[in-house]
Amino acid sequence: MNSSTPAGALAATRNWNTRAQEKARRLKLIEPWLDGAVLDPARIVDALSALIVTGDRVALEGNNQKQADFLSRAFAKLDPERVHDVHLLISSISRPEHLALFEQGIARKVDFAFAGPQSLRVAQLLEDGMLEIGAIYTYIELYARMFIDLTPQVALVCAAQADRHGNLYTGANTEDTPTIVEATAFRHGIVVAQVDEIVDELPRVDIPGSWIDVVVKADRPFAVEPLFTRDPRHIGELQILMAMMSIRGIYERYGVTSLNHGIGFDTAAIELLLPTYGESLGLKGKICTNWALNPHPTLIPAIESGWVQSVHCFGSEVGMEDYIAARSDVFFTGRDGSLRSNRVFCQLAGQYGVDLFIGSTLQMDADANSSTVTLGRLAGFGGAPNMGHDPRGRRHSSEAWLKLLKDDGPNPKIARGHKLVVQTAETYKKGGEPTIVDALDAIAVGEKSKMPIAPVMIYGDDVTHVVTEEGIAYLHAAEGVEERRAALAAIAGVTPIGMRADPAKSAELRRRGIVAYPEDLGVRRGEAKRSLLAARSIDDLVAWSGGLYTPPARFRSW
Amino acid sequence: MNSSTPAGALAATRNWNTRAQEKARRLKLIEPWLDGAVLDPARIVDALSALIVTGDRVALEGNNQKQADFLSRAFAKLDPERVHDVHLLISSISRPEHLALFEQGIARKVDFAFAGPQSLRVAQLLEDGMLEIGAIYTYIELYARMFIDLTPQVALVCAAQADRHGNLYTGANTEDTPTIVEATAFRHGIVVAQVDEIVDELPRVDIPGSWIDVVVKADRPFAVEPLFTRDPRHIGELQILMAMMSIRGIYERYGVTSLNHGIGFDTAAIELLLPTYGESLGLKGKICTNWALNPHPTLIPAIESGWVQSVHCFGSEVGMEDYIAARSDVFFTGRDGSLRSNRVFCQLAGQYGVDLFIGSTLQMDADANSSTVTLGRLAGFGGAPNMGHDPRGRRHSSEAWLKLLKDDGPNPKIARGHKLVVQTAETYKKGGEPTIVDALDAIAVGEKSKMPIAPVMIYGDDVTHVVTEEGIAYLHAAEGVEERRAALAAIAGVTPIGMRADPAKSAELRRRGIVAYPEDLGVRRGEAKRSLLAARSIDDLVAWSGGLYTPPARFRSW
């Protein structure tokens, strides 16, 4: 024993259980309004006012889908004289009251992953000095830090049902709730869950009651958005052409069986071509069997045609509930028949368990760095960067992963494969703006908002393939930075980057298989017609599902 | 709708719920032996014989700590005429009966992460053609694939207690159980849990009963090994010197507050120097505040001295239970007072939520690739590669991470930071073998076992710093492969690699701060004495803990 520090001396004088005691103190304040774990909803503002203390870190469940909106609305009603300088941890800043917290001075600092719908207001509040950003994350980075240095004092979450013991049933939208609750409950934070109903017996337990402190019946069912539904009517022929090239030039060539699709019409087109174009190529069972994916309605025809063995989901999708329940061989469902989604596990699966990520981008530079931010908006990252990178912690091999192995490093015997990271983009956006540009808007946005680095969504050095309507650049096969640029330029059309392509170099790259145009892949441009889509409308998807898919009203045309 | 594929036609003819039906069929067979969810232990072999079918994927909980050993022993008693060609998914092949499954022909194929204790036998069975390897993983890659294409038909797990509804209490060793159970239960696999006790009321619920099919009381408490306990008596002066350099040259310099330590005496030395050497440098509160770490007993003095704000744990450690319960401000614990560990969340935190990984290696090559495999053994990867790489999906910044930012890429405006990935090694092992070598044994092992790539633990291009007793190589600051090699050679002592160092180049690198010797860091070799350790024996650790730490018998000297 070091003589200068007597053993047990500090242990005897220090209180090592301050968090648990503080939690007990706060819960005591609301005891009069509790029946077991159940709070009188009329007391929600009073209760939050007692449970949340100035300076607290509060995790508010604003996922990219479901929203603890009864709690966020109550939270925004707190008296800023009494509760202020809250540090908000929120995966998705989605609702007006999320920002009202800052406008009213209740919250001051925020760590978040995505602010799509509110990104303009976030930028404005930042400029006005009413909001301070801790950092901007991917979803799972934010959760990771909840287990390290950002453990919440209070979590405000939501579920479909609770029983009187506080056990929660999330139903299909489990999403991030178990993760937020675990990080809070086991470090003596307070967990408050809003639920649509309080029942005697739950269909299944998604989160044990011994992790939950307070449940409260919301004034209306929690808000949830159908973010992943893409109406096939809006899929154009260029997207169909790109989808055909992706299937032939990437999925078939590398034997991609496990994969994740980003959200968008480009990937919806691929999903809708599997039962038609994919079938005609004899690829059923050879590609696209196992998915990490939200339950996209556009995957229904592929599922019904027998292409899909499994889908693990980040979250759910409005209207897909009955279809999912009726397809339990394909989806992860509970004894009650409803989906068990889980964002962290699906992100884990998407990072380490699948061979391909493909997503579309709004802007890409000459090095294939891409971004979805545009000027004046602080959109954040969401989940794509977690899928759209080469996971260097991966140690297991697969056929597709090994096809990208390069042994040109300092020691050819120390080589590893690479995840397929594919970016799709039409060279021009609908408004006539080029997609492939000299400088990403993200650089200016980062500088303007004083971000420490530019908010790049997918880094070019992680990207293995770029698909445009012109062709495919096999970047992973290019030698060095200049050749990567030449390969991308060769498929960049008449964008500024494409105009600078050297035709001789493009031809050489094409000969070497580093660039492929549709004809090199056996893809006929004339075939890229909407008639090739397995479904051309939401109505078609409903028909494919045998009436099990019930789209939200906004997607109905009948 | 595509006219060739009538909507709903396939849906009407195909059974989409075969998994759930097969599960029901199997469970029906054991109904006579069940009382609620509780199985008569005398029937365990009969029950597994009914529940496991030839060709099944079976996830057996062999973690690197706790073991479902009652179930694995019963599993190995099945009749291979009846049940054979099982595909075993197991994170750690640790127990003799794990391999008996293959010797007896019950199992045929295995996907695993670690086989330390049984790695010789695994290699032998592979050579004898009695075992086939699917792939070798890190822990979380294997779990990731359980949500994609390796979902188990049956999971055999363990917990401390169950109630009659099947709710499980894991206590301190939650570890991997919730993950394995979630992947199995929600894809209609069968979950069998052995427990030490069946009780009326659980101290807390770690896994809800609605995810569990069968609980069975084991004949004895589940096996668990104190894998993370390092006796300070075995820490030598070279390790203390390296620890001093790490603290000054890395932790202090980059301001490392959040971190993970590998297992071993090198990192135990760092833990034991914080309250003495670290204190004398005035670093308390400035470094090492938030940890992703198992509850290492050697961290006790730092905790008691007020260095540590939080520790999130992969698993637990034998003998640390009472200490953890009494330090609830530091550890993640439940209402019952015991630890809530969770391997997946801690790996997530260690990958995305902390700034530094440091671990010692047994072998390193000139490019800083390292490996713990030695000839004839198939040890696997465990968890280190998941921590010991630069997570390219990371998008948030921190002070330490930004200090490694390099803007020498093709576009200086697109730059990102880097995780600190530190490898420590004495240049020579105790037996007189060099640690820094021309070729890793892993290359020969990989070739002999026909592995698709060499089983490298940490890749050199992810490593930012190497620490030996000679000094520190700041590899991240070196320009190009040759200079990285020169920096490593400059601290490689009289190993073959070190002997080839060019003294002029070493001196230049030292001037440029890319290599530092102890004197460059203000570290005096003469101070590197065992007297500097805050605890010099297990007994000292017990004293520091105020008697709360109760080491296993093998570690007691009194």
Side-chain angles (χ1 to χ4, degrees):
Chain A
M1 177 63 51
N2 184 289
S3 57
S4 67
T5 320
L10 281 153
T13 54
R14 179 170 158 185
N15 178 349
W16 293 92
N17 302 296
T18 59
R19 291 180 159 251
Q21 286 159 11
E22 174 63 12
K23 172 174 177 169
R25 184 192 71 75
R26 298 186 192 183
L27 284 174
K28 185 92 186 155
L29 299 173
I30 66 161
E31 218 175 56
W33 311 321
L34 285 180
D35 173 12
V38 181
L39 177 75
D40 176 358
R43 291 295 196 166
I44 184 62
V45 176
D46 297 327
L48 292 186
S49 187
L51 295 175
I52 300 173
V53 171
T54 290
D56 272 358
R57 279 189 297 270
V58 177
L60 174 57
E61 186 154 29
N63 292 348
N64 65 352
Q65 292 181 276
K66 75 175 173 179
Q67 301 287 336
D69 62 313
F70 175 68
L71 296 176
S72 58
R73 282 181 277 123
F75 191 7
K77 288 184 190 143
L78 297 194
D79 176 3
E81 294 285 315
R82 190 176 163 138
V83 179
H84 51 88
D85 287 304
V86 163
H87 181 171
L88 192 69
L89 311 176
I90 184 165
S91 61
S92 179
I93 303 177
S94 318
R95 297 177 56 82
E97 69 266 19
H98 295 162
L99 290 165
L101 289 166
F102 296 90
E103 286 161 351
Q104 289 161 31
I106 299 166
R108 171 92 209 149
K109 189 171 175 182
V110 63
D111 283 74
F112 70 99
F114 186 64
Q118 301 291 348
S119 52
L120 272 174
R121 281 181 75 199
V122 169
Q124 192 56 52
L125 282 167
L126 184 71
E127 207 171 307
D128 296 347
M130 302 195 64
L131 174 150
E132 185 188 326
I133 293 177
I136 309 181
Y137 302 77
T138 62
Y139 298 126
I140 62 170
E141 282 172 77
L142 179 56
Y143 299 134
R145 280 192 65 185
M146 286 191 196
F147 292 96
I148 300 291
D149 57 344
L150 292 183
T151 44
Q153 273 84 24
V154 179
L156 307 176
V157 300
C158 80
Q161 300 178 353
D163 65 20
R164 301 202 163 266
H165 308 291
N167 293 298
L168 298 186
Y169 172 63
T170 61
N173 290 86
T174 305
E175 303 183 11
D176 316 63
T177 319
T179 306
I180 299 168
V181 170
E182 180 156 346
T184 308
F186 291 101
R187 197 117 190 277
H188 318 295
I190 294 166
V191 180
V192 182
Q194 73 168 67
V195 296
D196 298 346
E197 287 179 275
I198 292 169
V199 299
D200 288 330
E201 183 127 14
L202 297 173
R204 73 175 189 235
V205 177
D206 284 292
I207 300 173
S210 52
W211 308 9
I212 307 293
D213 299 296
V214 179
V215 296
V216 57
K217 186 176 180 319
D219 53 354
R220 53 180 196 240
F222 63 77
V224 60
E225 288 293 320
L227 292 178
F228 308 110
T229 299
R230 291 294 175 275
D231 188 335
R233 279 184 307 173
H234 304 305
I235 296 175
E237 291 183 353
L238 288 187
Q239 286 162 324
I240 294 167
L241 176 64
M242 286 160 57
M244 293 167 75
M245 286 193 280
S246 299
I247 290 172
R248 285 233 77 169
I250 300 175
Y251 292 35
E252 179 181 11
R253 182 170 297 186
Y254 299 89
V256 174
T257 55
S258 60
L259 70 164
N260 167 256
H261 273 189
I263 309 161
F265 291 102
D266 290 359
T267 44
I270 297 174
E271 293 154 20
L272 290 171
L273 286 192
L274 293 177
T276 56
Y277 183 66
E279 189 87 32
S280 74
L281 296 170
L283 294 175
K284 183 152 76 173
K286 295 180 187 159
I287 63 170
C288 300
T289 49
N290 299 92
W291 298 71
L293 194 74
N294 279 305
H296 290 185
T298 42
L299 197 62
I300 292 172
I303 293 172
E304 294 301 302
S305 307
W307 280 71
V308 177
Q309 289 169 15
S310 70
V311 182
H312 188 263
C313 300
F314 308 93
S316 188
E317 183 63 348
V318 181
M320 286 288 282
E321 296 82 358
D322 293 345
Y323 179 74
I324 290 166
R327 297 291 177 269
S328 73
D329 279 356
V330 172
F331 293 97
F332 285 69
T333 60
R335 285 182 189 172
D336 63 312
S338 79
L339 186 71
R340 167 80 177 189
S341 58
N342 189 319
R343 189 160 335 270
V344 163
F345 282 138
C346 198
Q347 293 279 356
L348 180 74
Q351 174 172 317
Y352 280 122
V354 308
D355 285 333
L356 174 139
F357 162 80
I358 184 168
S360 52
T361 185
L362 296 180
Q363 228 180 32
M364 181 181 288
D365 72 12
D367 295 306
N369 298 298
S370 70
S371 168
T372 52
V373 309
T374 46
L375 287 169
R377 292 171 186 270
L378 272 181
F381 299 109
N386 185 57
M387 310 283 153
H389 76 275
D390 184 43
R392 300 173 72 87
R394 175 171 171 165
R395 292 295 178 272
H396 77 279
S397 299
S398 68
E399 189 194 327
W401 187 81
L402 285 172
K403 281 187 178 161
L404 277 78
L405 182 144
K406 273 188 131 172
D407 51 8
D408 59 354
N411 181 347
K413 299 215 169 196
I414 307 286
R416 45 180 163 175
H418 199 292
K419 184 174 186 172
L420 287 114
V421 178
V422 184
Q423 290 279 277
T424 65
E426 290 183 44
T427 57
Y428 271 83
K429 290 192 256 283
K430 294 229 155 53
E433 288 277 301
T435 305
I436 305 176
V437 296
D438 280 313
L440 296 179
D441 288 352
I443 294 172
V445 169
E447 284 169 359
K448 184 157 185 283
S449 310
K450 301 185 176 54
M451 294 171 72
I453 57 171
V456 173
M457 181 67 81
I458 309 285
Y459 284 90
D461 51 5
D462 278 319
V463 175
T464 58
H465 300 78
V466 177
V467 183
T468 70
E469 76 279 11
E470 299 288 330
I472 299 178
Y474 294 84
L475 298 183
H476 70 92
E479 306 288 341
V481 168
E482 287 310 317
E483 195 166 284
R484 282 175 69 92
R485 287 182 172 173
L488 182 55
I491 59 156
V494 294
T495 63
I497 301 292
M499 298 294 277
R500 293 202 291 270
D502 168 7
K505 181 68 182 175
S506 298
E508 180 214 320
L509 291 171
R510 200 174 157 198
R511 272 196 308 277
R512 286 167 53 205
I514 297 169
V515 165
Y517 296 144
E519 49 273 35
D520 304 328
L521 302 168
V523 170
R524 272 176 286 184
R525 289 174 198 266
E527 270 185 30
K529 297 288 176 204
R530 280 183 44 81
S531 55
L532 205 55
L533 295 174
R536 294 192 288 278
S537 67
I538 293 281
D539 197 12
D540 283 355
L541 293 172
V542 173
W544 268 104
S545 78
L548 290 165
Y549 170 47
T550 53
R554 80 178 81 162
F555 288 106
R556 286 187 207 145
S557 55
W558 59 96
Chain B
M1 176 63 53
N2 185 289
S3 58
S4 68
T5 318
L10 281 152
T13 54
R14 180 171 156 184
N15 178 350
W16 292 93
N17 303 296
T18 59
R19 288 178 161 254
Q21 287 159 10
E22 174 63 12
K23 173 175 177 169
R25 183 193 70 77
R26 296 186 194 183
L27 284 173
K28 185 92 186 154
L29 298 173
I30 66 161
E31 218 175 55
W33 311 319
L34 286 180
D35 174 11
V38 181
L39 177 76
D40 175 359
R43 291 296 195 164
I44 185 62
V45 176
D46 297 328
L48 293 186
S49 186
L51 295 175
I52 300 173
V53 169
T54 291
D56 272 358
R57 279 188 297 269
V58 176
L60 173 57
E61 186 155 30
N63 293 349
N64 65 351
Q65 292 181 276
K66 74 175 174 178
Q67 300 289 336
D69 61 313
F70 175 67
L71 295 177
S72 58
R73 284 180 276 124
F75 191 7
K77 287 183 190 145
L78 298 194
D79 176 3
E81 295 284 316
R82 190 176 163 140
V83 179
H84 51 88
D85 287 303
V86 162
H87 181 171
L88 193 70
L89 311 176
I90 185 165
S91 61
S92 178
I93 303 177
S94 317
R95 298 179 54 82
E97 70 265 19
H98 294 162
L99 290 165
L101 289 166
F102 295 89
E103 286 162 349
Q104 288 159 32
I106 299 165
R108 170 91 207 150
K109 189 171 175 181
V110 63
D111 282 73
F112 69 100
F114 186 64
Q118 301 290 349
S119 51
L120 272 174
R121 280 180 75 199
V122 170
Q124 191 58 51
L125 282 167
L126 183 70
E127 207 172 308
D128 296 347
M130 301 195 65
L131 174 151
E132 184 188 327
I133 293 177
I136 309 181
Y137 302 76
T138 63
Y139 298 128
I140 62 169
E141 282 172 76
L142 179 56
Y143 300 134
R145 280 192 65 184
M146 286 191 195
F147 291 96
I148 300 292
D149 57 343
L150 293 183
T151 44
Q153 273 85 24
V154 179
L156 307 176
V157 300
C158 79
Q161 299 177 353
D163 65 19
R164 299 203 165 266
H165 308 291
N167 292 298
L168 297 187
Y169 172 62
T170 62
N173 290 86
T174 307
E175 303 184 10
D176 317 62
T177 319
T179 306
I180 299 168
V181 170
E182 180 157 346
T184 307
F186 291 100
R187 196 118 191 276
H188 319 295
I190 293 165
V191 180
V192 182
Q194 74 168 67
V195 295
D196 298 346
E197 286 179 277
I198 292 168
V199 299
D200 287 330
E201 184 126 12
L202 296 173
R204 75 174 187 237
V205 177
D206 286 291
I207 301 173
S210 53
W211 309 8
I212 307 292
D213 300 295
V214 178
V215 295
V216 56
K217 186 176 180 319
D219 52 356
R220 54 181 196 241
F222 63 76
V224 60
E225 290 292 320
L227 291 178
F228 309 109
T229 299
R230 291 293 176 276
D231 188 336
R233 281 185 303 174
H234 305 304
I235 296 175
E237 293 183 351
L238 289 186
Q239 285 162 325
I240 294 167
L241 177 65
M242 286 159 57
M244 293 168 75
M245 288 193 279
S246 299
I247 289 172
R248 285 235 78 167
I250 300 174
Y251 291 35
E252 180 181 12
R253 181 170 296 188
Y254 299 88
V256 174
T257 55
S258 59
L259 70 165
N260 166 257
H261 273 188
I263 309 160
F265 291 102
D266 290 358
T267 45
I270 297 174
E271 292 154 21
L272 290 171
L273 286 192
L274 293 177
T276 55
Y277 184 67
E279 190 86 31
S280 73
L281 296 170
L283 294 176
K284 184 153 76 173
K286 295 179 185 159
I287 63 168
C288 300
T289 48
N290 300 92
W291 299 71
L293 193 75
N294 279 306
H296 290 185
T298 42
L299 197 62
I300 292 171
I303 293 172
E304 294 302 301
S305 307
W307 281 70
V308 178
Q309 289 169 14
S310 71
V311 182
H312 189 263
C313 301
F314 308 92
S316 188
E317 183 62 349
V318 180
M320 287 288 282
E321 297 82 358
D322 292 346
Y323 179 74
I324 291 165
R327 298 291 177 271
S328 73
D329 279 357
V330 172
F331 292 98
F332 285 70
T333 59
R335 286 182 190 173
D336 62 312
S338 80
L339 185 71
R340 168 79 178 190
S341 59
N342 189 319
R343 189 161 334 271
V344 163
F345 283 137
C346 198
Q347 293 279 356
L348 180 74
Q351 174 172 317
Y352 280 120
V354 308
D355 285 333
L356 174 138
F357 162 80
I358 184 168
S360 52
T361 185
L362 296 180
Q363 228 179 35
M364 182 181 288
D365 71 13
D367 294 306
N369 297 298
S370 70
S371 167
T372 52
V373 309
T374 45
L375 286 170
R377 290 171 187 269
L378 272 182
F381 298 110
N386 185 56
M387 310 282 153
H389 77 276
D390 184 43
R392 300 173 71 89
R394 175 172 171 165
R395 291 295 179 271
H396 77 279
S397 298
S398 68
E399 189 194 326
W401 186 81
L402 285 172
K403 282 188 178 159
L404 277 78
L405 182 145
K406 276 189 127 170
D407 51 7
D408 58 353
N411 181 347
K413 299 216 170 199
I414 306 287
R416 46 179 162 176
H418 199 290
K419 183 173 187 174
L420 286 116
V421 178
V422 185
Q423 290 278 278
T424 66
E426 291 182 44
T427 57
Y428 270 82
K429 289 193 256 283
K430 294 230 155 54
E433 290 275 302
T435 304
I436 306 176
V437 297
D438 281 311
L440 297 179
D441 287 352
I443 295 172
V445 169
E447 284 170 357
K448 183 156 186 283
S449 309
K450 300 185 178 57
M451 293 171 73
I453 57 171
V456 172
M457 181 68 80
I458 308 285
Y459 285 90
D461 51 5
D462 278 319
V463 175
T464 58
H465 300 79
V466 177
V467 184
T468 70
E469 75 280 10
E470 299 288 329
I472 300 179
Y474 294 84
L475 298 183
H476 71 91
E479 305 288 340
V481 168
E482 286 310 318
E483 194 166 283
R484 282 176 68 92
R485 286 183 173 171
L488 182 56
I491 59 156
V494 294
T495 62
I497 301 292
M499 297 293 277
R500 293 201 292 268
D502 168 8
K505 180 69 182 173
S506 298
E508 179 214 322
L509 291 171
R510 201 175 156 195
R511 271 195 309 278
R512 287 167 54 204
I514 296 170
V515 165
Y517 296 143
E519 49 273 35
D520 305 328
L521 302 168
V523 169
R524 273 177 288 184
R525 289 174 198 268
E527 269 185 31
K529 297 288 176 204
R530 281 184 43 82
S531 55
L532 205 55
L533 295 173
R536 294 192 288 278
S537 66
I538 292 282
D539 198 11
D540 282 356
L541 294 173
V542 173
W544 268 104
S545 78
L548 290 165
Y549 170 46
T550 52
R554 78 178 82 160
F555 288 105
R556 284 185 210 149
S557 54
W558 59 96

